[in-house]
Amino acid sequence: MNDEYWMRHALKLAEKAESLGEVPVGAVIVKGEELIAEGWNQPILSNDATAHAEIMVLRAAGEILENYRITDAELFVTLEPCSMCVGALIHARIKRVVFAANEPRTGALGGAFNLLQANQHNHTFEVESGVLADESRKMVQAFFKKRR
């Protein structure tokens, strides 16, 4: 299985978020070739500003692994993480983050700014971007077009 395989899985979760009235963002955490956890945006339904797909998948993985540190794992997410999510990924000790579409307004891995460039962090992770970016971007754009 490759990056595109896991991103397609995350895109299906983004569709689930959209079907629930949420911004279509989905995420998975993988260790090796094994799916550990899934997450999708839920802030509207849960009345929780922190319920981004990345936070939800970290919470699920933490419960499954019985550890808040999700070492040697990769996160695949359909939209570039915000600063809150990047901070959580640093604290969780994620090994690698792969995201589809850039987020020019709030993306914290190069879209608006790059939080990993701060040298104060005691952990960093690899970043890969652009995997199935067009599919993700179109999904998000269509969602907001319908809402306007």
Side-chain angles (χ1 to χ4, degrees):
M1 291 175 248
N2 60 19
D3 292 354
E4 198 170 297
Y5 174 87
W6 292 115
M7 192 60 74
R8 288 201 187 286
H9 190 99
L11 283 166
K12 287 181 179 149
L13 296 169
E15 290 172 1
K16 180 176 184 167
E18 183 174 21
S19 74
L20 298 169
E22 299 281 356
V23 176
V25 180
V28 296
I29 289 181
V30 176
K31 268 191 167 193
E33 295 296 314
E34 181 185 356
L35 175 66
I36 301 298
E38 303 176 329
W40 54 91
N41 262 8
Q42 300 176 48
I44 297 167
L45 289 173
S46 65
N47 297 310
D48 180 355
T50 69
H52 291 190
E54 300 93 330
I55 301 299
M56 301 310 291
V57 76
L58 284 172
R59 289 175 182 166
E63 284 187 29
I64 290 162
L65 299 173
E66 296 182 337
N67 195 333
Y68 74 98
R69 291 204 170 152
I70 320 294
T71 58
D72 298 320
E74 299 172 294
L75 173 110
F76 294 83
V77 62
T78 59
L79 192 63
E80 181 181 357
C82 70
S83 58
M84 172 186 69
C85 292
V86 170
L89 294 166
I90 291 168
H91 287 288
R93 305 297 195 265
I94 288 290
K95 176 182 173 182
R96 181 171 177 249
V97 171
V98 180
F99 67 88
N102 286 71
E103 173 43 85
R105 291 185 192 109
T106 62
L109 291 176
F113 58 94
N114 192 335
L115 195 56
L116 291 182
Q117 288 178 342
N119 62 7
Q120 295 86 354
H121 302 300
N122 60 354
H123 176 77
T124 190
F125 48 78
E126 297 173 42
V127 177
E128 179 78 28
S129 64
V131 177
L132 301 179
D134 288 340
E135 289 91 330
S136 177
R137 187 177 308 104
K138 287 175 185 172
M139 191 182 300
V140 172
Q141 287 172 342
F143 173 83
F144 284 110
K145 188 174 183 181
K146 283 186 236 171
R147 300 208 38 158
R148 291 184 185 128

